[in-house]
Amino acid sequence: MPTGEVVYRVPSYIMYALPNENHGLDGVITQPKYEWKNKSPKLSEAPLIYEAHIGISTEEYKINSYKEFTRDVLPRIKKDGYNTIQLMAIMEHPLYASFGYQVSNFFAISSRFGQPEDLMELIDKAHGLGLQVLLDVVHSHAVKILRMGSTILMEQKISIFMKANGEIIQLGRRNFLIMAKMKSFIFYYQI
């Protein structure tokens, strides 16, 4: 820090983080092994979007998982005639009550729902059902706790916009690393 204070912090670019015993997060370096079977489908009509939050997608009094959502909810979405699914609050967020809109890392998926491979399987199965997948990635609201990850970069007034063709437009400062990682994230999760 400019003040000389030493701060433990999860890197903003980490792709997976787990809660630790100090009520913080530990970044995890991971190389998930998943063999993709399906490509994102091309829509022949306007998207009919089903918006879902993995954690509250069950009637049981618990936080649902990527695997349970894949098994129980995806078939219903397809049966009901939707062709696109938007997954809300997918990024890591330490306070569940924030509904996932106080993200701690730009690219770490929420560990409370499962492993990266579980999300990959969910996306792959959705594609196999003919559903396009949108991830509601909200980087404009960062958790204020410095050790959680993205706060320093978020204070730099970063703005990123992605066109439909995948081209990323830079607005603001410190975008090179973030934009490169965003392209990596999109490739990584086949969206």
Side-chain angles (χ1 to χ4, degrees):
M1 298 296 299
T3 62
E5 177 187 4
V6 176
V7 177
Y8 169 79
R9 184 173 76 80
V10 177
S12 298
Y13 53 82
I14 203 81
M15 301 226 16
Y16 192 58
L18 291 171
N20 62 33
E21 64 278 356
N22 299 320
H23 305 287
L25 294 169
D26 290 327
V28 178
I29 297 172
T30 182
Q31 289 261 253
K33 304 281 189 255
Y34 185 82
E35 188 174 323
W36 294 91
K37 297 165 197 72
N38 304 291
K39 293 190 181 292
S40 181
K42 302 291 182 209
L43 297 183
S44 58
E45 56 192 10
L48 181 57
I49 301 171
Y50 185 95
E51 189 176 73
H53 185 287
I54 300 292
I56 62 172
S57 63
T58 180
E59 293 182 18
E60 297 176 45
Y61 190 70
K62 66 175 193 156
I63 296 174
N64 212 14
S65 70
Y66 298 123
K67 285 187 172 290
E68 292 163 320
F69 186 92
T70 301
R71 182 191 68 219
D72 302 333
V73 182
L74 275 183
R76 284 195 328 239
I77 293 169
K78 178 62 178 176
K79 181 177 157 271
D80 288 344
Y82 292 92
N83 60 15
T84 304
I85 181 169
Q86 178 176 338
L87 299 176
M88 301 165 54
I90 208 73
M91 307 321 290
E92 189 60 73
H93 50 286
L95 177 63
Y96 192 63
S98 77
F99 199 62
Y101 290 103
Q102 291 182 350
V103 299
S104 58
N105 293 81
F106 288 112
F107 308 103
I109 63 161
S110 180
S111 61
R112 66 177 47 85
F113 308 139
Q115 304 285 324
E117 293 91 345
D118 301 337
L119 177 59
M120 291 172 169
E121 180 182 20
L122 186 160
I123 293 168
D124 196 26
K125 295 250 171 134
H127 289 167
L129 290 170
L131 299 168
Q132 283 195 336
V133 179
L134 306 173
L135 298 183
D136 188 10
V137 180
V138 181
H139 293 147
S140 60
H141 304 283
V143 68
K144 297 274 189 222
I145 305 167
L146 183 62
R147 72 177 183 276
M148 294 294 187
S150 61
T151 304
I152 291 174
L153 286 175
M154 293 307 295
E155 290 171 356
Q156 299 299 317
K157 307 284 188 234
I158 296 166
S159 298
I160 299 172
F161 174 76
M162 183 178 302
K163 292 182 178 181
N165 67 3
E167 179 186 348
I168 296 176
I169 298 173
Q170 306 176 41
L171 305 169
R173 298 177 274 177
R174 293 191 184 193
N175 287 321
F176 179 75
L177 171 64
I178 294 165
M179 289 180 10
K181 194 63 177 179
M182 179 61 83
K183 286 182 179 180
S184 171
F185 183 84
I186 290 166
F187 175 77
Y188 193 70
Y189 286 103
Q190 305 276 316
I191 53 176

